[in-house]
């Protein structure tokens, strides 16, 4: 097969598919040099032949016959850009069953059916590449799978959803309110079709499931990722956290793995302004990985968008094409290690963290001592307390705890809520993630 | 060959070699899962058998006979950790000539003999992996070669030398002077044996040569990289740039490639405090890459140190071991594309940039108009001017230009130096690199 062209079929011609075909056309010479062979686009499967397309294709390339594409013995690599877990699953499984390699950008499909997909790929000796599924063109999948191949990953802190990061940046930097920031994100075209997938952390949980599964070498089911969205985060707390404690708000996807104990959670969190993740603003994404022996590294970039995703899909195609052209096709290509067992993260109540909290209380003597007493009874110790301003009907008390167990903090908050004479409403609670990083002590 | 072990020989057992062997021992199970085979350490070549070692090796592994290691037909992969361009060249070339794959961390050897090494590797069908040569465990080589394989790289801004970044951080953040900061860097053990390689930009130029050569697909000789060190940068200018214009100092390694025009240079530069590179402090490294179609991505991490480098070397070994075990050994493995011709960057005089400048002038009327006149005559336009403080014998004038050609700025400074009645000493001149990044407008 060496020296011949490698033949690819693309299923789905939306913005990513269009960007991909343009990339393959524009960077043809570079790609040939890197692959050692020519890539030949053999078919592009779409739903309608009549729609106007933003790319020029040779006659006969466009088709609506998905089965014919899968059955074409000439096709080496099938690129699934349909999305969702319905037709996409049939395409991916169908291609693997026929011994074809697969490139997919489909985070939901991968996260939901990880073990099944990689088992099938292994049985058939095929590769599945999925760089675009997390952080689009920022090559975090390849970095975990290959660049850090000799490492044990101990933690990952990810800003994996661009929409929520954009919203939080607008609230924190421009003082915008949540509704206005969400409207602006929609106007900018960076939301999922259903923005609830963004703001409730579903998108980030899928991505964390994929990164965690690679790091663990076993499936981390998306349903096992503890998930809280940003809809309950108040602008007031973002302001207090910034002004009183120098924290920035992020929707963090957190993975930790130490002594066979796995944590996997997506929730709003405050990070120190000097943390490299705090500089990740607007719709940008980043992941801060700590591993043995490498230490800490961070990858940063635009984690969404047609061109960024097209870059990732192109790199996956080139990766597989190299293998096909050097004759390894038909043997195991996927570097994803996995066991059949799914990982089970510890319940959120057992997770330890620092906490930011705000209470609205009656403005009278002895309140602070009763509040700190409630925390003391649950073994939660307080690092600092402020009473930033007094209002007509009550005062805000803002505090940061030392590291404490989530369950203990919840129990302490339960005690407070029962103190009806002094506590006016449920406290605002946000976890704090500090970690180790360069410049922490400056 | 599938299912058997892959056999490696390590030449050089300093801190990186020791860290590597520990990593292979500690992460053995993970590595086997990722390689599909066992790695067998067959020999470790050292200069003295009597020296005490910090790792436990099976009897018979240690040897001083370099030739026997190269001639051992069982060895698949030779890991060169000797350094320098003497013995290291013999080891690397000798291994390739014998059809063995090579892993090296040797930036000087790669940068100086790029075309020769990769030509030989291609002729012999062998791979050379060199992730540790730039930014140690931060997998920038793999990201350029594979993660961005479908991209055209348009620019790279790198903080590639940890020592100088540490020194500049101490000066900028702690107000330390240069000598004290250098002493502290030496005490911390993060300098090269000869710190001139760090502070004069030699180390960064080697690394830029390697990254540029990958991006271009042709050799970018280290001697063609324009190079200025940090020894002339004054604390006063770092303070002015911060206070007046919100800039941070960096020793930047800059590569640009547009319309067949290549720029390659290492020099001090000011970047906006909101640029992601400004958050890269202490001895950390980062590279900010802009490419089509991916956009901008940044990689960040500890770019030096035995464990970080060991991580990179381990990933290279795993990469090659996968290829060996799947039977591709003996065909082209290196994804580095190259032509025989060396690249020729444009002369520094033709490079365009913004400039920070400080003049010490006589404190009398008309001075500013004569200075701006000199710039006007060379077509250099000024963006802003400050006269921060008046001294007994003269005043500082601090200015920032719009983008201008380096040659024109130099000619304008020449005009000023000849105005002996008003300009008291040669101006301080520092380039400014702003670029496009998220959050620029906040």
């Amino acid at each position: 097969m060496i020296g011949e062209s490698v033949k690819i079929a693309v299923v789905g011609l939306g913005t990513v598919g269009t960007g991909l075909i343009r990339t393959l056309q524009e960077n043809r010479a570079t790609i040939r040099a890197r692959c050692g062979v020519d890539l030949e686009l053999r078919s592009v499967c779409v739903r309608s032949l009549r729609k106007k397309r933003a790319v020029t294709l040779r006659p006969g390339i466009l088709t609506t016959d998905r089965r014919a594409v899968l059955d074409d013995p000439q096709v080496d690599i099938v690129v699934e850009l349909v999305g969702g877990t319905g037709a996409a699953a049939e395409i991916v499984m169908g291609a693997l069953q026929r011994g074809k390699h697969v490139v997919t950008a489909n985070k939901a499909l991968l996260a939901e059916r990880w073990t099944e997909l990689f088992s099938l790929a292994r049985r058939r000796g095929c590769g599945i590449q999925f760089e675009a599924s997390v952080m689009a063109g920022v090559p975090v999948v390849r970095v975990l799978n290959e660049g850090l191949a000799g490492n044990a990953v101990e933690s990952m802190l990810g800003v994996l959803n661009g929409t929520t990061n954009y919203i939080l940046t607008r609230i924190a930097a421009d003082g915008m309110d949540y509704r206005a920031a969400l409207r602006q994100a929609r106007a900018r075209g960076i939301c999922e079709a259903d923005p609830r997938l963004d703001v409730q952390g579903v998108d980030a949980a899928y991505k964390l499931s994929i990164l965690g599964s690679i790091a663990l070498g076993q499936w981390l089911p998306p349903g096992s990722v503890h998930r809280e969205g940003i809809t309950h985060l108040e602008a007031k707390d973002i302001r207090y956290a910034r002004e009183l404690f120098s924290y920035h708000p992020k929707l963090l996807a957190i993975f930790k793995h130490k002594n066979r104990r796995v944590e996997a959670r997506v929730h709003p969190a405050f990070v120190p302004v000097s943390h490299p993740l705090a500089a990740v603003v607007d719709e940008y994404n980043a992941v801060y990985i700590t591993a043995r022996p490498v230490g800490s590294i961070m990858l940063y970039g635009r984690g969404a968008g047609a061109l960024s995703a097209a870059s990732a899909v192109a790199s996956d195609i080139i990766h597989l094409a190299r293998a096909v052209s050097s004759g390894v096709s038909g043997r195991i290509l996927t570097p994803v290690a996995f066991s059949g067992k799914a990982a089970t993260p510890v319940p959120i109540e057992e997770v330890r963290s620092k906490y930011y909290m705000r209470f609205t209380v009656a403005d009278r003597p002895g309140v602070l001592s009763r509040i700190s007493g409630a925390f003391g009874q649950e073994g939660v110790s307080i690092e600092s307390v402020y009473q930033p301003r007094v209002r007509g009907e009550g005062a805000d008390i803002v505090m940061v705890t030392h590291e404490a167990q989530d369950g203990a903090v919840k129990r302490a908050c339960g005690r407070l809520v029962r103190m009806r004479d002094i506590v006016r409403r449920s406290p605002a609670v946000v976890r704090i993630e500090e970690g180790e990083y360069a410049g922490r002590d400056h």
Side-chain angles (χ1 to χ4, degrees), chain A:
Chain A
M1 191 146 358
I2 297 167
E4 282 180 24
S5 67
V6 171
K7 292 170 186 71
I8 60 180
V10 174
V11 188
L13 189 56
T15 55
V16 177
T18 305
L20 170 68
I21 288 167
R22 280 214 182 132
T23 301
L24 297 179
Q25 288 169 344
E26 283 173 17
N27 296 337
R28 192 189 175 94
T30 317
I31 290 171
R32 190 188 1 223
R34 290 186 191 277
C35 281
V37 289
D38 255 323
L39 295 181
E40 184 190 329
L41 185 62
R42 197 161 158 86
S43 49
V44 177
C45 189
V46 293
R47 265 189 295 190
S48 158
L49 293 178
R50 262 166 293 179
K51 201 168 156 189
K52 214 170 139 65
R53 305 289 173 179
V55 283
T56 313
L57 294 167
R58 277 187 293 119
I61 296 277
L62 270 190
T63 171
T64 57
D65 187 349
R66 196 199 302 160
R67 176 157 292 273
V69 168
L70 291 179
D71 284 338
D72 181 350
Q74 294 281 311
V75 169
D76 300 299
I77 301 169
V78 172
V79 182
E80 180 271 306
L81 299 174
V82 169
T85 53
E90 287 168 36
I91 294 159
V92 168
M93 308 295 266
L96 293 172
Q97 272 149 1
R98 289 161 177 82
K100 298 184 192 307
H101 307 295
V102 169
V103 175
T104 177
N106 193 324
K107 56 185 176 279
L109 179 64
L110 285 158
E112 296 288 2
R113 299 175 71 173
W114 185 265
T115 307
E116 193 183 345
L117 288 173
F118 287 101
S119 303
L120 175 58
R122 180 167 293 186
R123 279 201 307 280
R124 307 294 308 179
C126 294
I128 310 179
Q129 294 288 319
F130 49 98
E131 186 62 76
S133 64
V134 186
M135 292 177 76
V138 183
V140 60
V141 170
R142 199 148 274 129
V143 164
L144 276 181
N145 261 333
E146 306 186 25
L148 303 182
N151 283 261
V153 174
E154 292 180 340
S155 74
M156 294 188 273
L157 302 180
V159 176
L160 299 181
N161 179 269
T163 309
T164 48
N165 203 47
Y166 182 84
I167 291 171
L168 293 176
T169 301
R170 292 285 74 74
I171 298 174
D174 307 342
M176 218 176 255
D177 74 19
Y178 175 80
R179 294 274 141 217
L182 176 60
R183 261 199 313 278
Q184 195 163 316
R186 294 185 101 151
R188 218 175 145 98
I190 55 174
C191 287
E192 295 269 344
D194 178 356
R196 282 175 303 179
L197 298 178
D198 294 313
V199 299
Q200 294 177 355
V202 178
D203 173 77
Y206 276 139
K207 293 167 177 169
L208 188 68
S209 158
I210 292 172
L211 297 185
S213 298
I214 300 172
L216 287 169
Q218 65 182 136
W219 183 35
L220 177 66
S224 74
V225 175
H226 174 80
R227 188 165 53 74
E228 300 170 26
I230 63 164
T231 47
H232 295 294
L233 196 57
E234 291 182 45
K236 187 188 220 182
D237 294 303
I238 290 174
R239 208 171 54 240
Y240 281 155
R242 173 72 172 262
E243 287 168 8
L244 301 174
F245 309 103
S246 292
Y247 289 129
H248 253 315
K250 294 285 160 205
L251 179 66
L252 278 193
I254 300 173
F255 169 87
K256 297 188 181 182
H257 183 212
K258 227 168 180 175
N259 305 325
R260 294 166 186 273
R261 189 176 178 279
V262 175
E263 290 178 22
R265 46 199 167 102
V266 171
H267 54 67
F270 290 136
V271 299
V273 291
S274 55
H275 194 291
L277 284 173
V280 180
V281 297
D282 293 349
E283 69 269 40
Y284 275 65
N285 282 194
V287 59
Y288 192 87
I289 304 171
T290 303
R292 244 178 329 113
V294 77
S296 293
I297 72 168
M298 186 173 86
L299 281 82
Y300 162 98
R302 201 180 287 271
L307 286 179
S308 183
S311 161
V313 174
S315 80
D316 283 347
I317 293 174
I318 292 168
H319 182 88
L320 290 169
R322 274 182 196 145
V324 172
S325 76
S326 59
V328 206
S329 190
R331 302 195 209 141
I332 293 167
L333 286 171
T334 172
V336 170
F338 68 97
S339 72
K341 241 181 71 198
T344 47
V346 297
I348 190 70
E349 287 71 23
E350 291 177 23
V351 165
R352 294 181 66 81
S353 181
K354 287 183 71 163
Y355 287 81
Y356 161 97
M357 276 179 271
R358 173 176 53 86
F359 310 96
T360 306
V361 296
D363 189 22
R364 66 166 81 135
V367 166
L368 198 54
S369 111
R370 282 178 65 195
I371 289 178
S372 51
F375 282 100
Q377 279 175 298
E378 296 297 344
V380 176
S381 98
I382 292 164
E383 188 181 284
S384 54
V385 181
Y386 289 84
Q387 190 157 334
R389 65 188 72 183
V390 181
R391 296 220 173 156
E393 31 149 353
D396 281 347
I397 289 184
V398 175
M399 59 169 69
V400 166
T401 70
H402 285 289
E403 204 178 87
Q405 208 183 38
D406 187 271
V409 170
K410 283 189 179 127
R411 285 192 301 275
C413 289
R415 284 178 186 270
L416 290 172
V417 169
R418 287 192 296 274
M419 297 179 185
R420 304 248 163 112
D421 56 325
I422 54 163
V423 174
R424 293 284 152 86
R425 41 177 289 207
S426 291
V429 181
V430 183
R431 293 183 189 85
I432 294 166
E433 197 65 35
E434 292 189 328
E436 298 296 324
Y437 57 92
R440 177 164 176 183
D441 302 324
H442 304 320

